[in-house]
Amino acid sequence: MNQAALVLIKPDGLKKSLTGNILTRLSETKLEIVAAKMVRVSKELAEEHYKHLKDKPFFKDLISYIRGELHERRKVMAMVYWGEDASTKCRELAGATNPEEAEPTSIRGSYGRITTAGVYENVIHVSSNPEEAQREIKLWFHPEEIIVDLYPAKEIVAREYKRKVWA
Ligand code: DAT
Ligand code: MG
């Protein structure tokens, strides 16, 4: 069945110039990229994204990490992969959460590390399943940023809202 998965290239992946390698590895899945952008991650977005871990001792470090505070790279690359069993296929290539336990040829096994402070720098995020993907994609993307209709959306007329346009 066609599914969507949120994939994030985390700040360590960007700092290590791994974008090309990661995209090449993920292209083995034959899935389609239906959305992509660079994001400066707010504290609110980071905390909402990882809210299932908010009671963990590593939560604060995790938020700093995804916001790029540990890598002088205040950005992540966010993408939506779409197609047959998207989350399973992408997670298989990503490897286990703990980069030291990840299959050595997986993305996390190849490029991840655990810092001396205990932070899992595991290079990418991939949604675990379609339900998690839906929650996460709705956090990271607006409907019009995705080139297929993934989830029900509605049109609204927004008045008095401020946005930047080209000068
Ligand atoms: P995953 O990213 O494989 O879906 P997760 O959702 O359980 O794993 O955790 C999210 C992130 O939190 C993970 O990528 C790295 C960090 N993390 C998880 N368990 C950890 C631990 N025991 N020590 C340090 N960081 C951890
Ligand atoms: Mg997870």
Side-chain angles (χ1 to χ4, degrees), residues 46-67:
E47 290 182 351
E48 189 60 29
H49 178 78
Y50 283 129
K51 71 175 182 189
H52 60 296
L53 299 169
K54 74 174 187 319
D55 297 327
K56 300 283 186 194
F58 55 81
F59 185 68
K60 209 162 160 271
D61 285 340
L62 186 59
I63 299 306
S64 294
Y65 167 39
I66 197 70
R67 297 192 67 207

PDB file of all heavy atoms in Angstrom, residues 46-67:
ATOM      1  N   ALA A  46      10.494  21.393  17.492  1.00  0.00           N
ATOM      2  CA  ALA A  46      11.351  20.305  17.987  1.00  0.00           C
ATOM      3  C   ALA A  46      10.661  19.565  19.128  1.00  0.00           C
ATOM      4  O   ALA A  46      10.616  18.327  19.150  1.00  0.00           O
ATOM      5  CB  ALA A  46      12.687  20.882  18.457  1.00  0.00           C
ATOM      6  N   GLU A  47      10.096  20.322  20.058  1.00  0.00           N
ATOM      7  CA  GLU A  47       9.473  19.691  21.227  1.00  0.00           C
ATOM      8  C   GLU A  47       8.207  18.929  20.859  1.00  0.00           C
ATOM      9  O   GLU A  47       7.921  17.877  21.428  1.00  0.00           O
ATOM     10  CB  GLU A  47       9.181  20.751  22.305  1.00  0.00           C
ATOM     11  CG  GLU A  47      10.478  21.256  22.919  1.00  0.00           C
ATOM     12  CD  GLU A  47      10.281  22.273  24.037  1.00  0.00           C
ATOM     13  OE1 GLU A  47       9.136  22.735  24.236  1.00  0.00           O
ATOM     14  OE2 GLU A  47      11.279  22.609  24.692  1.00  0.00           O
ATOM     15  N   GLU A  48       7.475  19.444  19.890  1.00  0.00           N
ATOM     16  CA  GLU A  48       6.266  18.747  19.439  1.00  0.00           C
ATOM     17  C   GLU A  48       6.652  17.470  18.677  1.00  0.00           C
ATOM     18  O   GLU A  48       6.052  16.411  18.865  1.00  0.00           O
ATOM     19  CB  GLU A  48       5.434  19.699  18.553  1.00  0.00           C
ATOM     20  CG  GLU A  48       4.058  19.210  18.177  1.00  0.00           C
ATOM     21  CD  GLU A  48       3.125  18.935  19.365  1.00  0.00           C
ATOM     22  OE1 GLU A  48       3.288  19.590  20.413  1.00  0.00           O
ATOM     23  OE2 GLU A  48       2.254  18.045  19.218  1.00  0.00           O
ATOM     24  N   HIS A  49       7.666  17.586  17.838  1.00  0.00           N
ATOM     25  CA  HIS A  49       8.121  16.426  17.066  1.00  0.00           C
ATOM     26  C   HIS A  49       8.539  15.275  17.985  1.00  0.00           C
ATOM     27  O   HIS A  49       8.221  14.116  17.729  1.00  0.00           O
ATOM     28  CB  HIS A  49       9.292  16.839  16.169  1.00  0.00           C
ATOM     29  CG  HIS A  49       9.877  15.718  15.373  1.00  0.00           C
ATOM     30  ND1 HIS A  49       9.293  15.222  14.227  1.00  0.00           N
ATOM     31  CD2 HIS A  49      10.997  14.972  15.565  1.00  0.00           C
ATOM     32  CE1 HIS A  49      10.022  14.230  13.750  1.00  0.00           C
ATOM     33  NE2 HIS A  49      11.060  14.054  14.540  1.00  0.00           N
ATOM     34  N   TYR A  50       9.267  15.608  19.054  1.00  0.00           N
ATOM     35  CA  TYR A  50       9.789  14.580  19.961  1.00  0.00           C
ATOM     36  C   TYR A  50       8.986  14.471  21.256  1.00  0.00           C
ATOM     37  O   TYR A  50       9.523  14.025  22.266  1.00  0.00           O
ATOM     38  CB  TYR A  50      11.260  14.874  20.277  1.00  0.00           C
ATOM     39  CG  TYR A  50      12.216  14.490  19.167  1.00  0.00           C
ATOM     40  CD1 TYR A  50      13.158  15.393  18.679  1.00  0.00           C
ATOM     41  CD2 TYR A  50      12.203  13.199  18.618  1.00  0.00           C
ATOM     42  CE1 TYR A  50      14.051  15.032  17.665  1.00  0.00           C
ATOM     43  CE2 TYR A  50      13.090  12.837  17.609  1.00  0.00           C
ATOM     44  CZ  TYR A  50      14.006  13.749  17.141  1.00  0.00           C
ATOM     45  OH  TYR A  50      14.893  13.376  16.154  1.00  0.00           O
ATOM     46  N   LYS A  51       7.710  14.841  21.229  1.00  0.00           N
ATOM     47  CA  LYS A  51       6.958  14.909  22.496  1.00  0.00           C
ATOM     48  C   LYS A  51       6.838  13.555  23.192  1.00  0.00           C
ATOM     49  O   LYS A  51       6.736  13.502  24.414  1.00  0.00           O
ATOM     50  CB  LYS A  51       5.593  15.565  22.304  1.00  0.00           C
ATOM     51  CG  LYS A  51       4.574  14.753  21.541  1.00  0.00           C
ATOM     52  CD  LYS A  51       3.240  15.486  21.538  1.00  0.00           C
ATOM     53  CE  LYS A  51       2.206  14.659  20.809  1.00  0.00           C
ATOM     54  NZ  LYS A  51       0.960  15.395  20.598  1.00  0.00           N
ATOM     55  N   HIS A  52       6.916  12.457  22.437  1.00  0.00           N
ATOM     56  CA  HIS A  52       6.843  11.124  23.058  1.00  0.00           C
ATOM     57  C   HIS A  52       8.065  10.834  23.937  1.00  0.00           C
ATOM     58  O   HIS A  52       8.075   9.859  24.676  1.00  0.00           O
ATOM     59  CB  HIS A  52       6.679  10.040  21.990  1.00  0.00           C
ATOM     60  CG  HIS A  52       7.808   9.975  20.983  1.00  0.00           C
ATOM     61  ND1 HIS A  52       8.088  10.999  20.105  1.00  0.00           N
ATOM     62  CD2 HIS A  52       8.728   9.016  20.730  1.00  0.00           C
ATOM     63  CE1 HIS A  52       9.115  10.663  19.347  1.00  0.00           C
ATOM     64  NE2 HIS A  52       9.530   9.466  19.711  1.00  0.00           N
ATOM     65  N   LEU A  53       9.091  11.683  23.848  1.00  0.00           N
ATOM     66  CA  LEU A  53      10.322  11.441  24.610  1.00  0.00           C
ATOM     67  C   LEU A  53      10.553  12.503  25.688  1.00  0.00           C
ATOM     68  O   LEU A  53      11.632  12.569  26.269  1.00  0.00           O
ATOM     69  CB  LEU A  53      11.526  11.406  23.647  1.00  0.00           C
ATOM     70  CG  LEU A  53      11.482  10.307  22.583  1.00  0.00           C
ATOM     71  CD1 LEU A  53      12.559  10.533  21.534  1.00  0.00           C
ATOM     72  CD2 LEU A  53      11.659   8.932  23.227  1.00  0.00           C
ATOM     73  N   LYS A  54       9.513  13.304  25.958  1.00  0.00           N
ATOM     74  CA  LYS A  54       9.769  14.483  26.805  1.00  0.00           C
ATOM     75  C   LYS A  54      10.175  14.151  28.244  1.00  0.00           C
ATOM     76  O   LYS A  54      10.768  14.985  28.912  1.00  0.00           O
ATOM     77  CB  LYS A  54       8.598  15.471  26.754  1.00  0.00           C
ATOM     78  CG  LYS A  54       7.351  15.099  27.488  1.00  0.00           C
ATOM     79  CD  LYS A  54       6.387  16.303  27.427  1.00  0.00           C
ATOM     80  CE  LYS A  54       5.152  16.137  28.258  1.00  0.00           C
ATOM     81  NZ  LYS A  54       4.517  14.823  28.258  1.00  0.00           N
ATOM     82  N   ASP A  55       9.911  12.936  28.696  1.00  0.00           N
ATOM     83  CA  ASP A  55      10.319  12.570  30.058  1.00  0.00           C
ATOM     84  C   ASP A  55      11.690  11.888  30.104  1.00  0.00           C
ATOM     85  O   ASP A  55      12.160  11.502  31.175  1.00  0.00           O
ATOM     86  CB  ASP A  55       9.272  11.638  30.684  1.00  0.00           C
ATOM     87  CG  ASP A  55       7.937  12.343  30.830  1.00  0.00           C
ATOM     88  OD1 ASP A  55       7.946  13.572  31.069  1.00  0.00           O
ATOM     89  OD2 ASP A  55       6.886  11.687  30.675  1.00  0.00           O
ATOM     90  N   LYS A  56      12.325  11.733  28.964  1.00  0.00           N
ATOM     91  CA  LYS A  56      13.628  11.046  28.934  1.00  0.00           C
ATOM     92  C   LYS A  56      14.739  11.986  29.402  1.00  0.00           C
ATOM     93  O   LYS A  56      14.678  13.203  29.158  1.00  0.00           O
ATOM     94  CB  LYS A  56      13.961  10.579  27.508  1.00  0.00           C
ATOM     95  CG  LYS A  56      12.956   9.621  26.921  1.00  0.00           C
ATOM     96  CD  LYS A  56      13.138   8.235  27.484  1.00  0.00           C
ATOM     97  CE  LYS A  56      12.211   7.268  26.771  1.00  0.00           C
ATOM     98  NZ  LYS A  56      12.094   5.992  27.471  1.00  0.00           N
ATOM     99  N   PRO A  57      15.767  11.431  30.014  1.00  0.00           N
ATOM    100  CA  PRO A  57      16.878  12.276  30.493  1.00  0.00           C
ATOM    101  C   PRO A  57      17.612  12.989  29.353  1.00  0.00           C
ATOM    102  O   PRO A  57      18.224  14.032  29.570  1.00  0.00           O
ATOM    103  CB  PRO A  57      17.809  11.289  31.208  1.00  0.00           C
ATOM    104  CG  PRO A  57      17.406   9.930  30.727  1.00  0.00           C
ATOM    105  CD  PRO A  57      15.953  10.012  30.374  1.00  0.00           C
ATOM    106  N   PHE A  58      17.527  12.439  28.145  1.00  0.00           N
ATOM    107  CA  PHE A  58      18.259  13.033  27.018  1.00  0.00           C
ATOM    108  C   PHE A  58      17.417  14.026  26.215  1.00  0.00           C
ATOM    109  O   PHE A  58      17.852  14.530  25.184  1.00  0.00           O
ATOM    110  CB  PHE A  58      18.801  11.924  26.097  1.00  0.00           C
ATOM    111  CG  PHE A  58      17.760  10.966  25.593  1.00  0.00           C
ATOM    112  CD1 PHE A  58      16.950  11.281  24.507  1.00  0.00           C
ATOM    113  CD2 PHE A  58      17.581   9.735  26.208  1.00  0.00           C
ATOM    114  CE1 PHE A  58      15.989  10.403  24.036  1.00  0.00           C
ATOM    115  CE2 PHE A  58      16.606   8.835  25.751  1.00  0.00           C
ATOM    116  CZ  PHE A  58      15.810   9.184  24.658  1.00  0.00           C
ATOM    117  N   PHE A  59      16.200  14.347  26.694  1.00  0.00           N
ATOM    118  CA  PHE A  59      15.284  15.179  25.906  1.00  0.00           C
ATOM    119  C   PHE A  59      15.881  16.551  25.558  1.00  0.00           C
ATOM    120  O   PHE A  59      15.817  16.997  24.404  1.00  0.00           O
ATOM    121  CB  PHE A  59      13.949  15.357  26.650  1.00  0.00           C
ATOM    122  CG  PHE A  59      12.906  16.094  25.862  1.00  0.00           C
ATOM    123  CD1 PHE A  59      12.328  15.527  24.730  1.00  0.00           C
ATOM    124  CD2 PHE A  59      12.494  17.376  26.252  1.00  0.00           C
ATOM    125  CE1 PHE A  59      11.349  16.209  23.998  1.00  0.00           C
ATOM    126  CE2 PHE A  59      11.518  18.055  25.519  1.00  0.00           C
ATOM    127  CZ  PHE A  59      10.953  17.470  24.396  1.00  0.00           C
ATOM    128  N   LYS A  60      16.499  17.202  26.538  1.00  0.00           N
ATOM    129  CA  LYS A  60      17.027  18.558  26.313  1.00  0.00           C
ATOM    130  C   LYS A  60      18.122  18.526  25.232  1.00  0.00           C
ATOM    131  O   LYS A  60      18.150  19.365  24.331  1.00  0.00           O
ATOM    132  CB  LYS A  60      17.588  19.107  27.638  1.00  0.00           C
ATOM    133  CG  LYS A  60      17.521  20.596  27.750  1.00  0.00           C
ATOM    134  CD  LYS A  60      17.660  21.040  29.207  1.00  0.00           C
ATOM    135  CE  LYS A  60      18.078  22.501  29.257  1.00  0.00           C
ATOM    136  NZ  LYS A  60      19.546  22.644  29.230  1.00  0.00           N
ATOM    137  N   ASP A  61      19.006  17.541  25.333  1.00  0.00           N
ATOM    138  CA  ASP A  61      20.083  17.389  24.336  1.00  0.00           C
ATOM    139  C   ASP A  61      19.504  17.093  22.954  1.00  0.00           C
ATOM    140  O   ASP A  61      20.007  17.583  21.942  1.00  0.00           O
ATOM    141  CB  ASP A  61      21.011  16.224  24.716  1.00  0.00           C
ATOM    142  CG  ASP A  61      21.939  16.587  25.860  1.00  0.00           C
ATOM    143  OD1 ASP A  61      22.139  17.795  26.107  1.00  0.00           O
ATOM    144  OD2 ASP A  61      22.462  15.660  26.513  1.00  0.00           O
ATOM    145  N   LEU A  62      18.442  16.299  22.939  1.00  0.00           N
ATOM    146  CA  LEU A  62      17.804  15.926  21.677  1.00  0.00           C
ATOM    147  C   LEU A  62      17.239  17.169  20.972  1.00  0.00           C
ATOM    148  O   LEU A  62      17.381  17.328  19.751  1.00  0.00           O
ATOM    149  CB  LEU A  62      16.678  14.930  22.001  1.00  0.00           C
ATOM    150  CG  LEU A  62      15.927  14.269  20.869  1.00  0.00           C
ATOM    151  CD1 LEU A  62      16.867  13.475  19.986  1.00  0.00           C
ATOM    152  CD2 LEU A  62      14.838  13.345  21.441  1.00  0.00           C
ATOM    153  N   ILE A  63      16.646  18.059  21.755  1.00  0.00           N
ATOM    154  CA  ILE A  63      16.078  19.297  21.201  1.00  0.00           C
ATOM    155  C   ILE A  63      17.202  20.192  20.671  1.00  0.00           C
ATOM    156  O   ILE A  63      17.117  20.737  19.567  1.00  0.00           O
ATOM    157  CB  ILE A  63      15.210  20.030  22.272  1.00  0.00           C
ATOM    158  CG1 ILE A  63      14.046  19.136  22.723  1.00  0.00           C
ATOM    159  CG2 ILE A  63      14.705  21.379  21.754  1.00  0.00           C
ATOM    160  CD1 ILE A  63      13.151  18.597  21.626  1.00  0.00           C
ATOM    161  N   SER A  64      18.288  20.315  21.461  1.00  0.00           N
ATOM    162  CA  SER A  64      19.442  21.115  20.997  1.00  0.00           C
ATOM    163  C   SER A  64      20.015  20.539  19.715  1.00  0.00           C
ATOM    164  O   SER A  64      20.371  21.271  18.787  1.00  0.00           O
ATOM    165  CB  SER A  64      20.558  21.106  22.038  1.00  0.00           C
ATOM    166  OG  SER A  64      20.141  21.750  23.181  1.00  0.00           O
ATOM    167  N   TYR A  65      20.099  19.223  19.679  1.00  0.00           N
ATOM    168  CA  TYR A  65      20.667  18.530  18.519  1.00  0.00           C
ATOM    169  C   TYR A  65      19.840  18.776  17.248  1.00  0.00           C
ATOM    170  O   TYR A  65      20.377  19.220  16.230  1.00  0.00           O
ATOM    171  CB  TYR A  65      20.757  17.034  18.851  1.00  0.00           C
ATOM    172  CG  TYR A  65      21.031  16.089  17.707  1.00  0.00           C
ATOM    173  CD1 TYR A  65      21.922  16.404  16.670  1.00  0.00           C
ATOM    174  CD2 TYR A  65      20.415  14.831  17.681  1.00  0.00           C
ATOM    175  CE1 TYR A  65      22.155  15.508  15.643  1.00  0.00           C
ATOM    176  CE2 TYR A  65      20.661  13.931  16.656  1.00  0.00           C
ATOM    177  CZ  TYR A  65      21.518  14.280  15.634  1.00  0.00           C
ATOM    178  OH  TYR A  65      21.748  13.389  14.618  1.00  0.00           O
ATOM    179  N   ILE A  66      18.542  18.566  17.325  1.00  0.00           N
ATOM    180  CA  ILE A  66      17.713  18.704  16.111  1.00  0.00           C
ATOM    181  C   ILE A  66      17.632  20.165  15.675  1.00  0.00           C
ATOM    182  O   ILE A  66      17.444  20.465  14.493  1.00  0.00           O
ATOM    183  CB  ILE A  66      16.303  18.069  16.303  1.00  0.00           C
ATOM    184  CG1 ILE A  66      15.602  17.826  14.958  1.00  0.00           C
ATOM    185  CG2 ILE A  66      15.409  18.916  17.188  1.00  0.00           C
ATOM    186  CD1 ILE A  66      16.181  16.735  14.122  1.00  0.00           C
ATOM    187  N   ARG A  67      17.839  21.097  16.626  1.00  0.00           N
ATOM    188  CA  ARG A  67      17.822  22.523  16.276  1.00  0.00           C
ATOM    189  C   ARG A  67      19.176  22.989  15.752  1.00  0.00           C
ATOM    190  O   ARG A  67      19.351  24.147  15.385  1.00  0.00           O
ATOM    191  CB  ARG A  67      17.418  23.370  17.470  1.00  0.00           C
ATOM    192  CG  ARG A  67      16.000  23.073  17.957  1.00  0.00           C
ATOM    193  CD  ARG A  67      15.532  24.121  18.937  1.00  0.00           C
ATOM    194  NE  ARG A  67      15.375  25.399  18.259  1.00  0.00           N
ATOM    195  CZ  ARG A  67      15.485  26.591  18.848  1.00  0.00           C
ATOM    196  NH1 ARG A  67      15.768  26.674  20.113  1.00  0.00           N
ATOM    197  NH2 ARG A  67      15.316  27.700  18.145  1.00  0.00           N
TER     198      ARG A  67
END
